[in-house]
Amino acid sequence: MKIEGKEYRTIWFDEENKAVKIIDQTKLPHQFIIKDLKTIKDAINAIKTMEVRGAPLIGGAAAYGIVLAIMENNDLEFIKKSSEDLIKSRPTAINLQWAVHRMNNKLSLVNPNDFLNIALNEAKEICNEDVKFCKNIGINGLKIIEEIYNKKNDTVNILTHCNAGWLATINWGTATSPIYHAHKKGIPIHVWVDETRPRNQGANLTSYELNEEQIPNTIIADNTGGILMQRGEVDICIVGTDRTLSTGDVCNKIGTYLKALAAHDNNVPFYVALPSSTIDWDIKDFKEIPIEERNPEELSHIEGKDEEGNVKKVLIYPKKSKAKNLAFDITPAKYVTGLITEKGICEASTQGLKNLFK
Ligand code: MRU
């Protein structure tokens, strides 16, 4: 998608400099900085500090992390340790371990002399596949938006949480892909963007990328969705996910569950968009999903631009106060109207997913 009119992906390999290029998302929206990752440590650090974030992009970054590890040291033990460290770097998004396992499975079939070539091709393939899947999510989700538009014949108001936009994937996004497809088709869209405290991915990233694509959007505080739904100002919610169980239970950015409850109470359809790489086929009980707990400083401090244009971090809480920073929550399948995947739309249930993914 575009930034200042120029097409980008969120991650790519620079053949000339033998580096992985990323858009540093900790600097958005105030600065647009492309950064080089040259070592496995760089890749792990980028995932931990959320220079790259969003489940599918974390998967792509982990795949390129294995490439960087091989470039440093083609030794099996080093690759194994690097894989373990990558998997530990963020625990909730399943795409991370999915990508690392896929890379290692591929390597297990070939001669060590071929590791680098094979790993680089596979990392590129993981990213290209994600672009294809996210595009299909958009084509499939477009039908739901079109249906609402045909009934309403007026602007479709969509609420989204966090950033499940193109910045969270390699391109297109998951939750935003149907929005981009509808916009390209000329359907009038307006997006309610949940700010998404504490890191403000909605305000800093979703609103930013929608602005760049000229899609009307309004940032709201995380607690505003409920009254907008009561007033009939939300036609549909579409969110992303970091891990969806085969039961249809959806783990996503903290606050998603409360939006789903409000949507349920107000008969607003609540859809979750995801590529199959985000499905966890093993865990059956959502209580077993590892929920990342991040530094409370993400709550107590906030970053912004002052009047002179300097980006500053300031303390916003009483110095002595404690804070707890759980990064994800779980929306039980019963509150999810449907799952929008690359293969089609299905019920959020074991049977629904089985019908699509034999
Ligand atoms: O902590 P983040 O910013 O990585 O969390 C991102 C989300 O929760 C997204 O909704 C999810 O990864 C889906 S991305 C298409």
Side-chain angles (χ1 to χ4, degrees), residues 91-108:
T92 303
I94 191 151
N95 302 60
L96 205 167
Q97 70 185 63
W98 168 85
V100 170
H101 289 151
R102 178 163 156 175
M103 294 292 288
N104 277 286
N105 285 343
K106 198 84 194 180
L107 294 176
S108 70

Side-chain angles (χ1 to χ4, degrees), residues 45-64:
N45 185 55
I47 295 171
K48 274 190 180 159
T49 60
M50 293 174 65
E51 288 170 350
V52 286
R53 29 72 48 204
L57 176 55
I58 295 174
Y64 276 118

Side-chain angles (χ1 to χ4, degrees), residues 50 53-56 58 90 161-165 168-169 174 201 240-242 252-253 328:
M50 293 174 65
R53 29 72 48 204
I58 295 174
R90 282 198 82 191
H161 191 68
C162 192
N163 173 261
T169 63
T174 58
Q201 291 96 322
T241 166
D242 289 82
N252 191 44
K253 180 54 56 191
F328 299 96

